[in-house]
């Protein structure tokens, strides 16, 4: 039996799709590896970016499509309506619909369940694909997308991929173009995985306020240092540093943010806001493993061409350091310059086999707020 990923690629080719862009989702990681077969595949840092890139490709005569997950559709709506729809440009959006079928991450449920209503309210037509036997429903509306310059969303249930025999494609095949040589910034060889780096960092976090990035980073932190002053993010990628900034502006306590390269690249403008507001109690721990660790270790731009230390300095953060070895991390955290600080920690891809956090969103919020409230005023 043909794998559903391969059948979908066949349907896309038949429709003449020749330009793809994507953000990773664990449910469709095997499909993502095949997008280069369409002609060009652009890995994105944010969904809205992909709308603009797809519009440019359509204006140049290409037939673009995007692969995102349901939580990312909210990042696209204005651009979809004021650019793609307004100019009558063709775009097929394939949405990995999370939160509706055997979902293990509760934060995925709100957007996943509300997505059909949101699309209806926005006037964006969509087709529900509930299983692999329904993949053929894609062909007809997809043909109309490019024949009439339409916008259409295909909501893909995770049930489609259950039991798929599709084999992963080697990472190098993700890029149709030759990946450029790294920029001539300071390179450091990674010495640790993220978990090993967090083990070194944990003693410095004890008793302090910590905001931790979504997914496995939060699980690893909970495994190493479970404390009420940790805010474990369960959703909203790209929001770790903004949340940390908001907390730091409202407390005298030291605030640490455990962020990642993929998350920072999704919302880099926050670094400029951090520099402008100048919170001296804020430290960003940018753990850069060059991969989207929670969705299958797809490479980020930081693996090849982007130095987050240079980015942070360019946005105006003065206290920027880079580390990879245990001694370098300890020395950086043992020093006490005034913030905001940006500690760029280079690590290897890889996730520790730690269990899920046994706390609900409400329990995480209450413990964090109870611990923070007595200290939440910046005045004397």
């Amino acid at each position: 039996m043909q794998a559903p990923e391969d059948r979908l690629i066949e349907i896309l080719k038949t429709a003449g799709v020749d330009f793809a862009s994507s953000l990773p989702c664990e449910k469709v990681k095997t499909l993502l590896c095949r997008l280069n077969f369409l002609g060009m595949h652009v890995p994105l840092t944010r969904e809205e970016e992909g709308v603009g890139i797809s519009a440019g490709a359509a204006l140049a005569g290409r037939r673009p499509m995007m692969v995102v997950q349901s939580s990312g559709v909210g990042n696209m709506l204005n651009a979809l309506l004021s650019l793609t729809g307004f100019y009558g440009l063709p775009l097929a959006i394939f949405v990995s619909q999370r939160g509706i079928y055997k979902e293990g991450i509760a934060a995925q449920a709100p957007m996943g369940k509300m997505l059909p209503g949101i699309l209806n309210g926005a006037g964006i037509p969509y087709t529900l694909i509930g299983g692999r036997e329904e993949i053929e429903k894609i062909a007809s509306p997809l043909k109309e997308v490019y024949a009439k310059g339409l916008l259409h969303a295909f909501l893909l249930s995770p049930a489609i991929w259950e039991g798929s025999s599709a084999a992963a494609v080697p990472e190098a095949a993700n890029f149709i173009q030759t990946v450029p040589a790294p920029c001539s910034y300071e390179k450091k060889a990674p010495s640790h995985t993220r978990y090993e780096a967090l083990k070194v960092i944990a003693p410095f976090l004890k008793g302090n306020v910590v905001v931790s990035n979504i997914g496995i980073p939060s699980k690893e932190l909970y495994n190493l240092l479970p404390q009420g002053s940790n805010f474990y993010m369960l959703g909203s990628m790209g929001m770790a540093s903004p949340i940390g900034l908001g907390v730091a502006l409202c407390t005298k306590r030291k605030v640490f943010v455990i962020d990642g390269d993929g998350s920072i690249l999704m919302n880099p403008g926050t670094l400029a806001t951090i520099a402008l507001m100048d919170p001296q109690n804020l430290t960003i721990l940018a753990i850069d493993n060059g991969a989207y660790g929670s969705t299958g270790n797809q490479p980020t731009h930081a693996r090849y061409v982007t130095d987050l230390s240079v980015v942070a300095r360019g946005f105006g953060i003065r206290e920027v350091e880079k580390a990879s070895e245990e001694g370098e991390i300890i020395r950086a955290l043992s020093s006490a310059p005034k913030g905001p600080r940006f500690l760029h920690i280079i690590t290897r891809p890889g996730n520790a086999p730690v269990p899920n956090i046994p706390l609900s969103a409400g329990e995480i919020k209450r413990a964090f707020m109870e611990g923070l409230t007595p200290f939440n005023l910046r005045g004397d």
Side-chain angles (χ1 to χ4, degrees):
M1 179 183 295
Q2 187 179 31
E5 294 89 346
D6 293 325
R7 178 57 189 144
L8 178 52
I9 293 296
E10 283 185 355
I11 292 171
L12 293 168
K13 286 183 175 180
T14 300
V17 175
D18 57 1
F19 192 99
S21 60
S22 70
L23 269 163
C25 173
E26 191 273 335
K27 300 297 183 183
V28 293
K29 60 186 178 184
T30 307
L31 172 65
L32 295 176
C33 293
R34 287 161 162 72
L35 294 183
N36 66 297
F37 298 149
L38 299 174
M40 181 172 288
H41 175 206
V42 181
L44 303 169
T45 62
R46 184 174 172 84
E47 293 85 0
E48 188 175 45
E49 171 194 23
V51 177
I53 293 171
S54 297
L59 289 168
R62 295 292 190 103
R63 295 188 170 192
M65 59 87 73
M66 295 179 64
V67 179
V68 301
Q69 59 176 287
S70 48
S71 58
V73 174
N75 295 334
M76 306 164 65
L77 279 177
N78 180 62
L80 289 173
L81 297 179
S82 64
L83 177 59
T84 309
F86 185 69
Y87 285 95
L89 298 171
L91 180 60
I93 308 168
F94 290 84
V95 183
S96 178
Q97 193 176 11
R98 304 293 299 271
I100 59 166
Y101 180 81
K102 296 184 180 179
E103 180 59 66
I105 301 175
Q108 292 281 7
M111 192 65 175
K113 292 177 180 178
M114 298 300 292
L115 185 55
I118 290 170
L119 293 174
N120 279 328
I124 298 174
Y126 63 89
T127 301
L128 290 167
I129 310 297
R132 68 174 61 191
E133 70 282 357
E134 298 182 2
I135 285 182
E136 302 304 320
K137 291 167 56 178
I138 293 171
S140 179
L142 184 64
K143 182 179 178 181
E144 293 288 294
V145 166
Y146 303 109
K148 298 181 179 180
L150 301 177
L151 172 62
H152 197 99
F154 297 89
L155 308 188
L156 308 177
S157 169
I160 297 168
W161 323 111
E162 277 191 331
S164 172
S165 60
V169 177
E171 175 190 305
N174 281 322
F175 300 93
I176 197 67
Q177 313 96 324
T178 301
V179 174
C183 299
S184 58
Y185 53 72
E186 177 194 4
K187 296 291 288 184
K188 280 187 175 292
S191 301
H192 305 290
T193 63
R194 181 186 50 244
Y195 184 78
E196 291 165 346
L198 286 174
K199 190 179 293 186
V200 175
I201 294 167
F204 296 92
L205 304 180
K206 190 172 183 179
N208 288 310
V209 178
V210 184
V211 176
S212 182
N213 199 16
I214 64 169
I216 296 175
S218 278
K219 295 179 186 180
E220 292 178 347
L221 176 65
Y222 183 86
N223 183 262
L224 289 167
L225 185 68
Q227 59 181 10
S229 58
N230 292 346
F231 184 76
Y232 307 104
M233 291 179 62
L234 304 178
S236 305
M237 185 174 174
M239 292 291 106
S241 289
I243 293 170
L245 173 60
V247 173
L249 292 173
C250 300
T251 182
K252 286 185 173 181
R253 296 178 67 182
K254 290 183 179 179
V255 178
F256 292 86
V257 175
I258 298 170
D259 215 333
D261 46 307
S263 179
I264 290 172
L265 287 169
M266 180 170 278
N267 201 9
T270 297
L271 298 178
T273 306
I274 289 170
L276 178 68
M277 299 308 297
D278 199 32
Q280 298 184 3
N281 57 336
L282 178 63
T283 298
I284 306 296
L285 303 173
I287 301 182
D288 179 357
N289 61 9
Y292 293 101
S294 295
T295 59
N297 286 320
Q298 297 90 352
T300 70
H301 299 24
R303 180 177 298 186
Y304 299 112
V305 295
T306 304
D307 184 346
L308 295 179
S309 296
V310 176
V311 172
R313 288 193 184 97
F315 274 122
I317 297 178
R318 294 182 298 276
E319 294 294 337
V320 178
E321 298 175 75
K322 182 179 291 188
S324 63
E325 298 178 1
E326 179 177 350
E328 294 174 329
I329 297 171
I330 291 174
R331 282 193 297 274
L333 289 172
S334 297
S335 64
K338 292 182 178 179
R341 302 182 66 195
F342 187 92
L343 180 54
H344 186 194
I345 302 173
I346 309 298
T347 65
R348 300 193 308 271
N351 303 316
V354 295
N356 290 333
I357 299 172
L359 301 172
S360 68
E363 289 171 328
I364 293 169
K365 181 187 77 171
R366 284 191 294 274
F368 184 79
M369 293 182 69
E370 287 169 3
L372 187 62
T373 299
F375 306 94
N376 68 350
L377 296 178
R378 294 193 63 86
D380 295 327

